[in-house]
Amino acid sequence: MDVVSSLPLVFNAPARGKPPLHFADLDEAGRIAAAEKLGLPKFRANQLAKQYFARLNADATEMTDLPAAIREEVGEALFPTLMTPIRHVATDSGTTRKTLWRLHDGTLLESVLMRYPERNTLCISSQAGCGMACPFCATGQGGLDRNLSTAEIVDQVRAAARALRDGDLGEPGRLSNIVFMGMGEPLANYKRVVDAVRKITSPEPNGFGISARSVTVSTVGLAPAIRRLADEGIPVTLAVSLHTPDDELRDTLVPVNNRWPVAEVLEAARYYADTTGRRVSIEYALIRDVNDQPWRADLLGAKLRKALGQMVHVNLIPLNPTPGSQWDASPKDVEREFVRRVQEQGVSCTVRDTRGQEIAAACGQLAAEEG
Ligand code: SAH
């Protein structure tokens, strides 16, 4: 089933300024065809791929292994400017950095880079805005601007990998993890997201060579798309934003639940775990007096154990209050009791750290309103 056309109309992206075609949109055959169209021999396509995916270079004028005479033409045809950084904001002693990007049509988007002792994680956006309308999420409040192109997704990764390599965030490092937890619902931009995932995980020179296990695709729970993703043969980590185990509350917290309720989402998650052999993550933003009751922890644990057995891990995210929202994070003792009860059901459960809070770069805070 075509997942996007099966969504209610309101979730489909309006066609705002289509981004220019970019080298990172093309597959290997497309890159060779593009090179040939420019009158270049086949091997140039491979050279360009090395420049982009291995050297993290998207500026043809810097591609010194190309004849100087053709650099400009190659740049114009294959490396148009996709996104311009408007600003970087750092926090957590410089280990978290949010970047605001302007796309070619003025659309704004954000990505967040987080340094940890043992890994470097980039949180990327798959859409500008989001059509899922979850009431506790800042992105959800603004609605959907448009889908990002494959290259607009991939280039967030290139830019961050380059910044890390060049020591823009302190000690030079390597980008090791990608989470699709920025703006947008990745599975509502299915084809481009999967295409981007392939380019993130393919070995050089066809991609950045980041291990699929280190890539997490987070979804509100578009059940048919979860199944389709399972069948792609790329064992990325699936994260499902459940937020409550009961349909009554989930219908309001994650409105798409009206279409694919908890049971269907968990069945799809089970299919994902069975097909890929990967443990599924369950995201649960803990909201004071909304979804943090002991009985909900018990129900969550019981439902997950039944649906997924040992193939599940719960990430509790202390709610990051968004502007204008009356909701808040749960008190720490309530949070601890929630964890304890979920674990008591035999389900693994931990609390997610809250990087980037004070620069509006934490989960659900990305909104890109500023110019
Ligand atoms: N659309 C995808 C990716 C979105 S963001 C999804 O929903 O999974 C990644 C996670 O941040 C999701 O689990 C989302 O529910 C959560 N989130 C959104 N707003 C939040 C907030 N204000 N506080 C804490 N987590 C939030």
Side-chain angles (χ1 to χ4, degrees), residues 134-188:
C134 303
F136 55 89
C137 173
T139 311
Q141 304 320 294
L144 181 62
D145 287 334
R146 67 168 170 84
N147 280 324
L148 300 186
S149 66
T150 300
E152 285 170 329
I153 300 170
V154 169
D155 213 46
Q156 295 172 60
V157 177
R158 184 198 59 81
R162 188 179 163 117
L164 270 169
R165 181 198 66 193
D166 294 351
D168 295 359
L169 285 93
E171 274 295 288
R174 233 189 96 253
L175 185 59
S176 57
N177 294 65
I178 304 292
V179 295
F180 281 83
M181 293 190 182
M183 306 171 76
E185 167 50 39
L187 298 188

Side-chain angles (χ1 to χ4, degrees), residues 221-224 226-227 247 259-270:
L222 308 183
I226 291 175
R227 291 171 184 273
D247 285 321
R259 175 118 180 182
W260 291 292
V262 173
E264 279 186 46
V265 174
L266 293 182
E267 266 172 44
R270 173 72 204 214

